Amino acid sequence: MKEILPNEVSPLLKGNSPVHIIDVREVEEVKAGKIPNALNIPLGLVEFRMQDLDKSKEYIMVCRSGGRSSRAEQILENHGYKVLNMVGGMKGWEGPTE
């Protein structure tokens, strides 16, 4: 499993390369705030929505504390996607939210 820390994600958002973040929390949780431009796909829908994702891109998975995003990472990785798990989730996020 590949991991990335919240403080490593924040500078990526300020860079010139696109960053692809998938927030696997439930819709109600995301309403409280998410990383800007993150795509919300609740964990229970990841297997049904993976065909909407591009296997040539790398995705950073995010949830509240890192558990659900770890499961989502395993699902996507098993299907050939390039994925990183943001350890600590939104609990560790100190960057901007929307």
Side-chain angles (χ1 to χ4, degrees):
M1 177 171 21
K2 296 177 184 167
E3 299 177 339
I4 190 166
L5 297 171
N7 64 352
E8 295 173 316
V9 174
S10 199
L12 294 176
L13 296 174
K14 297 173 185 162
N16 294 328
S17 300
V19 180
H20 308 284
I21 299 173
I22 299 176
D23 192 321
V24 298
R25 295 177 297 159
E26 296 299 318
V27 174
E28 289 301 314
E29 293 175 279
V30 171
K31 286 181 182 176
K34 67 177 181 71
I35 296 172
N37 299 315
L39 175 63
N40 178 225
I41 303 176
L43 178 59
L45 299 178
V46 167
E47 289 187 82
F48 304 103
R49 297 273 311 274
M50 72 172 74
Q51 74 277 359
D52 298 337
L53 304 176
D54 184 343
K55 286 189 177 182
S56 70
K57 296 177 181 173
E58 183 173 70
Y59 295 94
I60 298 171
M61 309 306 289
V62 178
C63 67
R64 185 177 61 86
S65 61
R68 286 177 282 178
S69 56
S70 175
R71 289 195 296 277
E73 178 198 10
Q74 290 172 343
I75 292 167
L76 292 174
E77 208 169 57
N78 289 341
H79 285 89
Y81 292 88
K82 294 178 261 183
V83 191
L84 296 168
N85 180 36
M86 190 173 91
V87 180
M90 290 303 288
K91 283 180 144 185
W93 179 252
E94 295 179 358
T97 60
E98 62 178 18

